[in-house]
Amino acid sequence: MTQTATQTQQRTVRVWDPWVRISHWLTAGAFFGAYFITEDNLPVHVWLGYLIGALLLVRIVWGFVGTEHARFRDFLFGPRRIFAYLGELLGGHPRRYLGHNPAGAAMIYLLLIGLAGTTVTGLQVYAAEEKAGPLAGWYAGAGLIQWPTAHANGYEEEEEEEDGHEAAEEHEESEEAEALEEWHEFFANATLALVGLHVLGVIVSSRLHRENLPRAMITGRKAPVKEDDKA
Ligand code: HEM
């Protein structure tokens, strides 16, 4: 006998609200987009970065005021619980959670930190190298306050000295920009590695619990937790 959509819905419960699902897939798409579109199309890279930053800020607020399983307090587990869960996982019988499981939750915090680090260092690089973006004022060379220069009082010697200072400052600036760029790349690559582990975790969990977690991140629904789900 075939089951109707309503019958299937009755056997599942709503877990992920629409905002969690939309922001998840938008973040994933924007991250991959920004990772592969770099200097060859900087405006697109920067706008994808802004999108990730905005989604991240809203997700953090949602973690305090959002729906049950979106709230941080729903997936805040101590190291003991995380390691116990990893033990259950190795034993092949992990306890099933309706929201994020302890290992998945730890990974989500790492992903959020990775994304935040990538976004902030991206804004810094953009400011230091292109003198653009919201942090541009912090990397304007002379700082936020523009002091009067030798041009204003006409002393040639001071002007030469000033030129020397400017060259030294520019050198320091470019060194700073390079260091920032390295940090930006580090965070982006670390986040990509975390995404790999995250997807692996999703596949392993889906297999062990015989459920399709990526589909749940699309429909928002999962089978309810039963007594025999527990380890
Ligand atoms: C750049 C890529 C990705 C990033 C940054 C990312 C990040 C995240 C984050 C932050 C969450 C927590 C969702 C929330 O509570 O708001 C999450 C959950 C989830 N992600 Fe991803 N994700 C990425 C790619 C993927 C891909 C490709 C898949 C599909 C295989 C996937 C499947 C899932 C699933 C199923 C969950 C829910 C896990 C659970 O049931 O506990 N993610 N992801």
Side-chain angles (χ1 to χ4, degrees):
M1 197 172 67
T2 55
Q3 285 169 337
T4 64
T6 329
Q7 275 173 323
T8 312
Q9 275 214 343
Q10 275 167 357
R11 287 191 293 103
T12 58
V13 285
R14 184 177 283 278
V15 178
W16 309 123
D17 65 71
W19 177 247
V20 164
R21 290 177 271 150
I22 293 169
S23 74
H24 175 266
W25 295 114
L26 276 179
T27 307
F31 179 79
F32 281 123
Y35 191 89
F36 293 107
I37 304 166
T38 50
E39 274 114 48
D40 24 301
N41 198 336
L42 195 60
V44 172
H45 178 84
V46 169
W47 278 104
L48 289 172
Y50 285 154
L51 176 62
I52 295 171
L55 289 167
L56 202 56
L57 286 178
V58 179
R59 180 63 187 93
I60 290 169
V61 173
W62 202 234
F64 294 101
V65 302
T67 54
E68 186 186 353
H69 296 292
R71 291 196 184 208
F72 295 130
R73 67 160 189 233
D74 188 69
F75 56 100
L76 201 60
F77 301 96
R80 261 190 185 197
R81 189 67 213 114
I82 296 170
F83 285 111
Y85 179 84
L86 288 173
E88 292 165 18
L89 202 68
L90 287 175
H93 296 288
R95 180 179 152 182
R96 182 170 173 265
Y97 289 77
L98 206 49
H100 300 300
N101 66 53
M107 176 54 77
I108 283 154
Y109 288 115
L110 289 177
L111 280 166
L112 295 179
I113 292 169
L115 289 168
T118 311
T119 312
V120 172
T121 51
L123 289 174
Q124 288 178 293
V125 175
Y126 194 43
E129 277 185 2
E130 310 291 327
K131 309 275 177 279
L135 302 185
W138 288 6
Y139 294 90
L144 287 176
I145 305 164
Q146 300 284 332
W147 299 106
T149 64
H151 286 288
N153 44 34
Y155 291 118
E156 290 235 332
E157 247 177 57
E158 275 188 24
E159 213 169 274
E160 267 171 32
E161 213 174 278
E162 196 75 20
D163 284 348
H165 278 307
E166 268 172 27
E169 259 174 34
E170 254 173 46
H171 182 67
E172 262 174 42
E173 257 178 49
S174 69
E175 270 188 9
E176 190 185 4
E178 265 173 41
L180 286 168
E181 198 167 345
E182 273 173 28
W183 275 109
H184 185 50
E185 279 172 19
F186 165 78
F187 274 110
N189 288 328
T191 308
L192 186 71
L194 291 173
V195 166
L197 287 174
H198 165 61
V199 173
L200 189 71
V202 165
I203 294 170
V204 170
S205 269
S206 296
R207 282 183 150 244
L208 287 177
H209 296 299
R210 294 197 181 81
E211 65 177 343
N212 188 334
L213 290 177
R215 191 177 60 198
M217 220 353 126
I218 296 170
T219 62
R221 305 189 74 89
K222 283 184 175 182
V225 172
K226 294 176 275 165
E227 257 321 293
D228 56 357
D229 277 333
K230 299 193 177 133

